[in-house]
Structures are given as C-alpha cells and as structure tokens.
Amino acid sequence: MSKESRKFEVPDELANLYDFANTLDLRRFVHHGVQHPQSDQLGNTAGLAAWMSERKLGSGGKMTPAMFETALQLRSSVRDYLQCNPDDRRRNKTVGRALNRMTQHFPLAVEVHDAGMTLRPARDDALAGLSVVVAELYNAAANGTLDRLKMCASDECHRVFYDRSKPGTRRWCVSALCGNRAKTRTYRERHHGP
Ligand SMILES: [Zn+2]
C-alpha cells in the first residue's frame, strides 16, 4: 500500500502490483502549461532495493546487476500485459509468453497459517520480495479483479490505473484529463485534417 494506491482506492491486495507497474512514469502531457516529467523509480540497483524496502519487500540480501535486469524485465512484461485490453490478454500469445518467461524467475510456495493460505516467495535472495508482486498478479487473475487493472489508453500517459467504474469499461486513468485530451485531438484531426 502506498500514498498513490490509497489516493486512487486501489484494493490493498493489488497495491504492490499497481505500484510496481507505475514505478516507470512515462507521462509527458502538458497540464496547466507544464510538461509532466518522466521518471523511473527503479533507476538502478539502489533504487530497486529502496523501493522494495519501503514496501517491506526487501530481504537485505545483495542486489546484483543481473537481479536488477530481471526486475526490469518483469516490470516490462507486466506492463505489456496490462496494456492489452482484458479480453485480449488471454489471446495475445506474445505478451503471455513474455510474462511466463519472467514469472518463472519468481517461484511461489503455498504457506498454511492461522488465517488460511498464502502464496509466499520461494526464492530467498534480494529479489524474493518481488514474488509478492507475482502472487498479487496471480490472485487478482484468479478472483477477476485483474481485469480492472489497466493501462491508460492515452499515448501521453500510459499510467496503470484501477477501473472502479461499475461497467469496468474505462480506458483512461482520469477521464476528465486523459480522456478529454484524446477526444479533443480526435476532434481536431477530424475537422482540420492531418
Ligand atoms: Zn492517463
């Protein structure tokens, strides 16, 4: 759970997945005359370790450059998957295969405890905590909430958001901003040519 996930009322069960996907901020729209600066919270091994320890996903082990690369590839396969419309996710073999390749690096074990059962990381090094993100992905797919985790359709945004609308058909993270920008552009293109 983070300030962002709370602000946008993302279910706690998905908060690490949501935050992880959004560590890459590709937003570049102009709002109130200022261009949004792009950023990457996982800029290097230290950034990844800090991000994980903030969320209590750190194990204190050494984060190697190879582990860092694996984490970035997991993120890009997760983002590619979420960028597909929910209906296309099951059909798109390329994104499915890429995600399968990356999740193999994050095996999970079933742990029985007082409150029931939980999927917990099976690896025990510095990357172990990211298995929690994979467990959230699996649990959300199993209970259907993953269909509501989407990527904003605006080319200037591509932020991952949780669709709380009743029909679950939202395409933009903030309809009043990204949705309006997209509609204004379509209108302009239609009325003024290319
Ligand atoms: Zn957006």
Side-chain angles (χ1 to χ4, degrees):
M1 213 186 329
S2 65
K3 239 167 77 188
E4 283 281 291
S5 69
R6 240 173 279 142
K7 179 177 162 195
F8 292 104
E9 297 178 70
V10 178
D12 287 351
E13 307 80 50
L14 282 174
N16 287 309
L17 172 61
Y18 167 86
D19 285 336
F20 181 64
N22 279 328
T23 49
L24 183 63
D25 186 354
L26 296 176
R27 290 175 291 179
R28 55 186 170 87
F29 48 70
V30 176
H31 189 50
H32 296 311
V34 181
Q35 181 161 18
H36 184 89
Q38 298 187 324
S39 65
D40 188 350
Q41 290 177 57
L42 311 184
N44 50 32
T45 49
L48 172 62
W51 184 85
M52 288 175 70
S53 91
E54 268 167 35
R55 280 158 189 79
K56 303 197 171 27
L57 300 176
S59 63
K62 185 177 162 37
M63 184 74 70
T64 66
M67 287 173 171
F68 175 63
E69 263 320 300
T70 304
L72 292 192
Q73 285 172 26
L74 174 68
R75 181 178 68 182
S76 91
S77 63
V78 165
R79 285 181 59 91
D80 288 349
Y81 185 81
L82 295 177
Q83 189 168 16
C84 294
N85 290 326
D87 287 342
D88 294 334
R89 291 175 186 176
R90 286 166 280 271
R91 287 196 288 260
N92 190 321
K93 297 265 186 298
T94 313
V95 296
R97 271 199 291 265
L99 192 56
N100 280 342
R101 251 194 324 272
M102 290 323 297
T103 51
Q104 276 175 24
H105 294 278
F106 299 90
L108 297 161
V110 175
E111 187 174 61
V112 182
H113 49 74
D114 294 350
M117 293 190 196
T118 315
L119 289 174
R120 63 164 189 80
R123 59 190 288 171
D124 61 355
D125 56 12
L127 269 197
L130 281 191
S131 303
V132 170
V133 170
V134 175
E136 288 185 6
L137 185 73
Y138 172 77
N139 288 331
N143 68 25
T145 50
L146 192 61
D147 282 357
R148 289 183 171 265
L149 200 64
K150 306 172 180 180
M151 187 178 285
C152 180
S154 163
D155 283 341
E156 293 172 314
C157 181
H158 285 169
R159 191 167 174 76
V160 170
F161 69 98
Y162 188 76
D163 183 356
R164 301 195 69 86
S165 71
K166 219 165 193 173
T169 51
R170 257 176 64 192
R171 297 181 55 212
W172 296 288
C173 65
V174 183
S175 301
L177 297 173
C178 290
N180 271 354
R181 266 192 295 267
K183 281 177 201 150
T184 310
R185 184 167 316 115
T186 312
Y187 178 86
R188 247 191 262 128
E189 281 162 5
R190 262 195 215 138
H191 293 261
H192 299 280

